[in-house]
Amino acid sequence: GENVEQHPSTLSVQEGDSAVIKCTYSDSASNYFPWYKQELGKRPQLIIDIRSNVGEKKDQRIAVTLNKTAKHFSLHITETQPEDSAVYFCAASITGGGADGLTFGKGTHLIIQP
Amino acid sequence: NAGVTQTPKFQVLKTGQSMTLQCAQDMNHNSMYWYRQDPGMGLRLIYYSASEGTTDKGEVPNGYNVSRLNKREFSLRLESAAPSQTSVYFCASSDGPGVGRGYTFGSGTRLTVV
């Protein structure tokens, strides 16, 4: 089955700096790659996603890039703010986000230092 | 519009006891999922239901059973709870491959087995 590796497990950045979280996946048939943000004690919430026919997608301070050849994708957060502190999960799916379920990375704890 | 509702929010069980976790969604989604979240392990798929009337095993199904009662409801049953099943359980739903905005998660059930 699919295997998703996520790095780093913890990332500490100064407020205002950029943060980058990287994921690799094993199954070249995967075609849907979402990112979730989970604040302490709360549910994961989708923040951005990308499909395999797109190389990059942006939404305000957040962007995701996908390299299908290398089978890796990354989350970029610019101008980080205290409210960005959370655990971020990447995921991959063969069915485009539908029936078979997502395979998640183990998460990155992002800490924004004031 | 409640989204995905899970009950209970907290539960303590003794080893060997049984219980059912309830999940309901009001978004008319076709697919529903049960995940467990353990520290440092990310989210792992227990069972999923691609559509009403179907269920399939995910990555970690042992010790669990599920029922897709109707399109709205998907329950998870622990027949004989074990300490290894201490975890946070999340139900999620999606409207199928290639459409929509990924998964919507419930607020979670924190289960402790003593």
Side-chain angles (χ1 to χ4, degrees):
Chain A
E2 175 66 278
N3 182 49
V4 176
E5 298 284 342
Q6 183 172 347
H7 300 280
S9 56
T10 304
L11 177 61
S12 181
V13 301
Q14 291 294 123
E15 182 178 349
D17 287 350
S18 295
V20 181
I21 302 170
K22 298 181 179 181
C23 289
T24 60
Y25 60 99
S26 61
D27 195 327
S28 57
S30 288
N31 56 15
Y32 175 67
F33 307 93
W35 287 87
Y36 287 82
K37 176 183 180 182
Q38 186 178 31
E39 297 175 349
L40 187 62
K42 297 192 175 181
R43 74 191 77 190
Q45 293 197 303
L46 179 70
I47 56 172
I48 195 167
D49 56 10
I50 192 168
R51 301 187 188 274
S52 58
N53 58 347
V54 176
E56 183 176 2
K57 184 177 179 180
K58 290 183 179 180
D59 183 0
Q60 299 183 331
R61 297 186 297 109
I62 294 173
V64 58
T65 58
L66 172 65
N67 183 326
K68 288 189 295 182
T69 302
K71 290 191 285 188
H72 68 69
F73 57 112
S74 300
L75 178 71
H76 304 253
I77 305 174
T78 59
E79 301 173 8
T80 53
Q81 301 170 4
E83 54 265 35
D84 295 329
S85 292
V87 178
Y88 291 80
F89 293 96
C90 63
S93 168
I94 294 174
T95 56
D100 290 358
L102 293 168
T103 301
F104 286 85
K106 290 182 167 55
T108 296
H109 185 193
L110 177 62
I111 301 166
I112 308 300
Q113 303 279 6
Chain B
N1 187 344
V4 179
T5 303
Q6 281 183 244
T7 56
K9 293 189 184 303
F10 302 94
Q11 184 72 48
V12 178
L13 288 178
K14 294 182 179 179
T15 298
Q17 286 186 319
S18 62
M19 78 162 295
T20 300
L21 282 64
Q22 306 287 353
C23 176
Q25 52 92 8
D26 61 4
M27 297 171 287
N28 202 36
H29 282 172
N30 289 315
S31 302
M32 298 184 73
Y33 314 85
W34 278 104
Y35 284 87
R36 61 178 288 174
Q37 184 174 34
D38 303 293
M41 297 297 291
L43 292 144
R44 293 182 292 170
L45 182 64
I46 305 171
Y47 270 92
Y48 66 95
S49 172
S51 60
E52 185 179 355
T54 69
T55 61
D56 285 285
K57 295 178 180 179
E59 180 185 355
V60 288
N62 291 344
Y64 306 95
N65 284 300
V66 291
S67 295
R68 183 75 181 266
L69 304 170
N70 47 55
K71 191 171 185 179
R72 292 185 64 249
E73 298 172 287
F74 189 39
S75 63
L76 178 71
R77 182 160 179 85
L78 287 70
E79 291 290 352
S80 179
S84 61
Q85 294 178 304
T86 293
S87 188
V88 180
Y89 291 85
F90 285 99
C91 177
S93 69
S94 75
D95 50 11
V99 295
R101 291 283 293 160
Y103 289 16
T104 300
F105 283 88
S107 57
T109 296
R110 186 173 295 275
L111 175 67
T112 302
V113 183
V114 298

